[in-house]
Amino acid sequence: MIEFWYEFASTYSYPAAMRVEHLADQAGVVVHWRPFIVGPLFNEQQGLTDSPFNAFPVKGDYMWRDLQRVCDREGLPLHHPSQFPRNSLLAARVAICGLEDGWTPAFSRAVYQANFVDDLDISNPEVLAPLIASVGAGPEHVLAAAASAPVKDQLKDHVRQARERGLFGAPSFVTADGELFWGNDRLEQALDWAVRHQDMESA
Amino acid sequence: MIEFWYEFASTYSYPAAMRVEHLADQAGVVVHWRPFIVGPLFNEQQGLTDSPFNAFPVKGDYMWRDLQRVCDREGLPLHHPSQFPRNSLLAARVAICGLEDGWTPAFSRAVYQANFVDDLDISNPEVLAPLIASVGAGPEHVLAAAASAPVKDQLKDHVRQARERGLFGAPSFVTADGELFWGNDRLEQALDWAVRHQDMESA
């Protein structure tokens, strides 16, 4: 088992979301998708009110170049979004709605495609509606549910859990024994760890 | 050719310094060792007056755990230094002194061993003297040269070059065509890039 903590506005969460299922399948590890919002953690831990990639342009310049290289290596398309970061709150709440029925992974990949390939505003319900329909759910019903108190509370609870696990960025991976890995480039190591821990449990 | 930009106080520079020569040899890439001081960049780019790993404890906690995993994977010993970060100015100036005679790589590895394995104060000339002697240079002569204006200026020039290349952390790698890679975990990709660029030059 591995928890995949991701944020729809996060650039490196995009390749991680596109890679995680395939690599986890190969490793025989189950993925628990954990959409959350990283802004509150950035703010309370580092005093940031914007993405660190905007607050510190030299880091932003590097990140966009590195992300292009990462996507090139993985064969993933990338279009530098005309707005960054985009407000990810509504998309995260919709992703929460799909956890029980199992469409969260497919919906999440569609949101990343919208944000980082098609350059669409993922905070707009009209952008999200066809993505919800594409995974076989009912946009009207789901968007209403996403605005309900229980779903809002569940997303808040995800942020609380993320804080408890020591997260400070996205994407992050947490194994069953609580080991934390930060960044798309730690996905393979997180899966290795999860496999070795499973072995120990069954030994 | 690859430039290896490193800082003696930087935790992830330690595994990078221990790995770079072997991997570059295998790839047929020449390494140019570029000791520098990252503090001025942290300050002017991010307003930091301490290591980000101290300024933001949640990132520091993660870094020490991740560094332990990185070192375990590489078979490198690691002792959490009793002081972090250590003042690296004198060690960097000494490293500058060895560039012409070629003992900078061996001396630099010895400094990382002192800081991150033997828990020694690398700002102390008495700690550095035996490390200088161990690479076949004269401690008294070298320590005097390290305090001279030309060596101080050369280190300042390294910081200036680092800024020009878009660096914001250590370790970093820069290829002949100016491609920047940040972090020990980008070493392999930087070497790949350098090899492909060499191929293009000779094609």
Side-chain angles (χ1 to χ4, degrees), chain A:
Chain A
M1 187 283 285
I2 200 167
E3 292 176 351
F4 169 43
W5 291 87
Y6 61 102
E7 144 79 77
F8 285 120
S10 150
T11 51
Y12 289 107
S13 293
Y14 162 47
M18 298 309 197
R19 300 188 322 120
V20 64
E21 290 283 7
H22 176 66
L23 290 172
D25 279 356
Q26 285 185 321
V29 172
V30 174
V31 182
H32 293 195
W33 289 63
R34 290 289 175 265
F36 79 118
I37 302 284
V38 79
L41 300 187
F42 280 165
N43 184 255
E44 65 197 38
Q45 294 168 349
Q46 301 185 54
L48 292 169
T49 54
D50 192 357
S51 163
F53 297 126
N54 289 340
F56 312 117
V58 68
K59 300 191 81 163
D61 289 348
Y62 174 79
M63 179 276 292
W64 289 111
R65 179 67 184 157
D66 186 58
L67 184 69
Q68 184 68 61
R69 291 192 304 240
V70 168
C71 289
D72 286 349
R73 290 170 70 96
E74 299 294 335
L76 292 170
L78 174 67
H79 180 102
H80 189 132
S82 53
Q83 189 193 347
F84 176 80
R86 287 205 164 98
N87 188 319
S88 57
L89 190 60
L90 179 60
R93 286 173 178 163
V94 170
I96 294 277
C97 294
L99 288 172
E100 248 187 63
D101 292 339
W103 50 260
T104 297
F107 170 76
S108 298
R109 285 187 291 266
V111 173
Y112 284 112
Q113 162 95 20
N115 193 6
F116 293 108
V117 183
D118 302 329
D119 194 21
L120 296 174
D121 181 3
I122 58 167
S123 71
N124 185 342
E126 289 175 29
V127 166
L128 296 183
L131 308 184
I132 297 167
S134 76
V135 299
E140 221 170 307
H141 166 73
V142 168
L143 285 167
S148 71
V151 169
K152 291 180 176 178
D153 287 347
Q154 198 176 340
L155 182 58
K156 281 182 199 161
D157 195 56
H158 275 207
V159 175
R160 184 191 60 74
Q161 286 179 41
R163 186 185 295 113
E164 271 182 13
R165 283 156 173 71
L167 266 73
F168 53 90
S172 293
F173 310 94
V174 181
T175 60
D177 56 336
E179 195 74 14
L180 171 65
F181 296 83
W182 171 51
N184 170 64
D185 52 17
R186 290 292 189 277
L187 169 54
E188 285 83 351
Q189 292 170 34
L191 289 170
D192 277 356
W193 189 281
V195 168
R196 279 187 282 136
H197 181 74
Q198 285 175 328
D199 286 351
M200 286 189 293
E201 272 183 336
S202 58

Side-chain angles (χ1 to χ4, degrees), chain B residues 20-89:
Chain B
V20 65
E21 290 284 7
H22 176 65
L23 290 171
D25 278 356
Q26 283 185 323
V29 172
V30 174
V31 182
H32 293 195
W33 289 63
R34 290 289 175 268
F36 80 118
I37 302 286
V38 79
L41 301 186
F42 280 165
N43 185 255
E44 66 197 37
Q45 294 169 349
Q46 302 185 52
L48 292 170
T49 54
D50 193 356
S51 163
F53 298 126
N54 289 340
F56 311 118
V58 68
K59 300 191 82 163
D61 289 348
Y62 174 78
M63 178 277 291
W64 288 112
R65 179 66 184 157
D66 187 58
L67 183 69
Q68 183 68 61
R69 290 191 305 240
V70 168
C71 289
D72 286 349
R73 289 170 72 97
E74 298 294 336
L76 292 169
L78 174 67
H79 180 103
H80 190 133
S82 52
Q83 190 193 345
F84 176 80
R86 288 204 164 99
N87 188 318
S88 57
L89 190 61

Side-chain angles (χ1 to χ4, degrees), chain B residues 62-134:
Chain B
Y62 174 78
M63 178 277 291
W64 288 112
R65 179 66 184 157
D66 187 58
L67 183 69
Q68 183 68 61
R69 290 191 305 240
V70 168
C71 289
D72 286 349
R73 289 170 72 97
E74 298 294 336
L76 292 169
L78 174 67
H79 180 103
H80 190 133
S82 52
Q83 190 193 345
F84 176 80
R86 288 204 164 99
N87 188 318
S88 57
L89 190 61
L90 179 60
R93 286 173 178 162
V94 171
I96 294 277
C97 295
L99 288 171
E100 247 187 65
D101 292 339
W103 50 259
T104 298
F107 170 75
S108 298
R109 286 187 290 266
V111 173
Y112 283 111
Q113 161 94 21
N115 193 5
F116 292 110
V117 183
D118 301 330
D119 194 21
L120 296 173
D121 181 3
I122 58 167
S123 72
N124 185 342
E126 289 175 30
V127 166
L128 296 183
L131 308 184
I132 297 167
S134 76

